Structures are given as C-alpha cells and as structure tokens.
Amino acid sequence: MSSRTHGPNILLTGTPGTGKTTLGTELGPQRTGLNYINIGDVAKEEELYDGYDAEYHCPVLDEDRVIDELEEAISNGGNVVDYHSCEFFPERWFDIVFVLRTDNSVLYKRLEERGYTGKKLSDNIECEIFQTLLDEARESYKPEIVHELQSSTPDQMEENLENIANWIDQWKASHP
Ligand code: DAT
C-alpha cells in the first residue's frame, strides 16, 4: 500500500497543447508543495525508450521502465504527473485525475505555433474532438476521481489552478 507521506498524487492528462505543462508547473512546489513530474522529460533524461515510431517520428516510451523509475517517488505521494496518455500507469498511483480540454480552434492555433503540421496536427485535433483522453481516463480510473477541466482561456487556467490548489488543501486537512 502507498503511504502518501508527502501528499496526494494528481494526474494531469489531455491532448498535447491543452495546458498540462503550464498548469503543472504553476501548481508545482511554490504554490502547493507538490513535486511536478513531466513524464516526457523523465523519459528523455533517463532514455526510457523502446524503439522508434516511424510514422510519428518520435521514440516510443518504455512504459514499464517509466513505472519502475517513478514507483518509489509516487508511492511516497505529493506529485503532480503530466502525460498525454494515462492507461498504462498503475491505477493505485493517483488520488485524482484531471483531463484538460480545449476548444478545437484554440488548440489548432496552439499546436500550429508549436510547429505541428500535417498528420501530426490533424491527429491531435481529432484526439481532442473524439475526447480520446477523457474516455481513456474514465476507462482506466474510477469515474468519480476523473474530472474534466476546460483549458481554452487564461481565466480558465487560473480557475483550474485555484480549484486544484483548494482540493490539495482539503486533501491535506483530511489526511493529517
Ligand atoms: P501541454 O503540456 O498540454 O502540451 P502546454 O502547457 O505546453 O500544453 O500549453 C500549450 C500552449 O498553450 C502554451 O503556450 C500555453 C498555452 N495555454 C495552455 N493552456 C492555456 C489556457 N488555459 N489559456 C491560455 N493559454 C493556454
């Protein structure tokens, strides 16, 4: 069983460009005392890859090694984890899951600005239209811990930050 000595574990998921990194970084140590973990960055630093995806021109994440790498930190609690997929994490890792959602036209602009074009751009927009990550989260975790958050505007970003910070305070108060 996990001890959660350092607080709750939060998963931020959603289509690339919906604001996970921005929200996770803002929530990080200064504001909430929680540790921010970007799975993509961890994989890059530790080279946790298993082959190369020729279609998307990117390395394939070695999910088992990611889990081994983070198991200890996660079981101590107090983490905000950011990744655009969620079904391969152990269900017991997370106390709450937030799925960020963005209006298609807004997301399109953000991904274009990031340099996405062609199939990579259209596949990610489709991923958002078909709410792929929301469905994946609802299938992988208890539906009552999965929450959809709108993340199209700066006001929504600020509102999400406040709501999550409040949730963390309440969790800490009820787990002394
Ligand atoms: P992700 O980590 O999900 O790929 P990001 O945090 O890198 O997304 O955000 C992508 C870009 O969009 C970045 O320039 C910040 C901006 N952004 C994200 N959420 C936003 C919001 N709710 N309002 C305005 N801009 C936002």
Side-chain angles (χ1 to χ4, degrees):
M1 272 302 288
S2 56
S3 53
R4 301 286 197 266
T5 328
H6 301 303
N9 287 324
I10 297 173
L11 175 63
L12 302 179
T13 190
T15 308
T18 50
K20 302 179 294 297
T21 303
T22 308
L23 184 63
T25 311
E26 292 266 333
L27 273 171
Q30 276 192 336
R31 185 143 177 176
T32 65
L34 267 59
N35 182 36
Y36 169 69
I37 300 176
N38 183 310
I39 297 291
D41 289 350
V42 172
K44 206 181 219 173
E45 280 156 24
E46 306 295 327
E47 294 188 18
L48 306 176
Y49 298 126
D50 180 18
Y52 191 80
D53 188 321
E55 189 180 1
Y56 289 98
H57 307 286
C58 63
V60 177
L61 196 71
D62 188 331
E63 299 173 346
D64 291 340
R65 284 176 62 213
V66 168
I67 290 166
D68 288 348
E69 178 76 23
L70 295 173
E71 182 68 63
E72 193 179 337
I74 300 283
S75 62
N76 289 330
N79 301 285
V80 178
V81 173
D82 163 350
Y83 198 54
H84 57 261
S85 170
C86 64
E87 40 78 27
F88 70 90
F89 298 118
E91 192 183 349
R92 62 186 155 74
W93 270 17
F94 299 109
D95 301 295
I96 196 159
V97 176
F98 295 105
V99 184
L100 272 62
R101 303 300 311 277
T102 300
D103 292 343
N104 301 323
S105 55
V106 176
L107 186 64
Y108 193 96
K109 284 199 198 96
R110 285 184 198 164
L111 292 178
E112 258 192 332
E113 270 169 30
R114 196 181 264 190
Y116 286 20
T117 53
K119 184 170 165 55
K120 190 170 182 178
L121 178 58
S122 56
D123 281 0
N124 278 291
I125 296 297
E126 259 184 33
C127 174
E128 189 58 14
I129 291 173
F130 292 117
Q131 61 173 60
T132 309
L133 267 303
L134 183 61
D135 289 347
E136 184 178 321
R138 285 176 176 157
E139 282 161 19
S140 308
Y141 300 89
K142 290 198 195 90
E144 61 267 31
I145 72 158
V146 176
H147 303 273
E148 193 176 0
L149 294 179
Q150 296 305 319
S151 178
S152 298
T153 67
D155 282 353
Q156 288 170 337
M157 174 65 69
E158 195 48 46
E159 199 181 314
N160 294 336
L161 269 168
E162 270 173 37
N163 287 338
I164 296 175
N166 288 337
W167 181 87
I168 294 167
D169 286 344
Q170 282 176 16
W171 190 96
K172 286 181 175 169
S174 60
H175 297 75

